Amino acid sequence: MSRKLVRPRDNRMIAGVCAGLARRFGMSAGMMRLIFLVSCLLPGPQFLIYIALWIVLPSEDRYATAR
């Protein structure tokens, strides 16, 4: 399991948020995307959280150059 939560370069669909979360928690990106889509059917701020993570999580490119 990767310790850092970043948006990966590969396996992105829109912003890489689901792919980054999937990598962090040891899941497949497809499963994380499915969980996100199903959670959008429930009331709550899921979409706003996704946008916030898109803004807050560093890109893997930026994180690699900062090290």
Side-chain angles (χ1 to χ4, degrees):
M1 180 171 15
S2 175
R3 299 311 270 178
K4 298 294 179 183
L5 185 56
V6 295
R7 294 181 295 122
R9 285 177 259 185
D10 58 338
N11 207 7
R12 285 185 175 187
M13 291 289 279
I14 297 175
V17 173
C18 287
L21 288 171
R23 185 185 289 180
R24 171 68 174 93
F25 294 111
M27 300 172 65
S28 71
M31 181 60 72
M32 184 61 73
R33 290 179 187 117
L34 181 65
I35 290 170
F36 174 73
L37 287 175
V38 170
S39 75
C40 285
L41 298 174
L42 301 171
Q46 295 86 337
F47 189 70
L48 294 175
I49 292 171
Y50 185 91
I51 291 173
L53 287 174
W54 187 350
I55 293 168
V56 171
L57 291 180
S59 180
E60 192 175 49
D61 296 330
R62 189 175 304 146
Y63 181 75
T65 57
R67 282 186 115 204

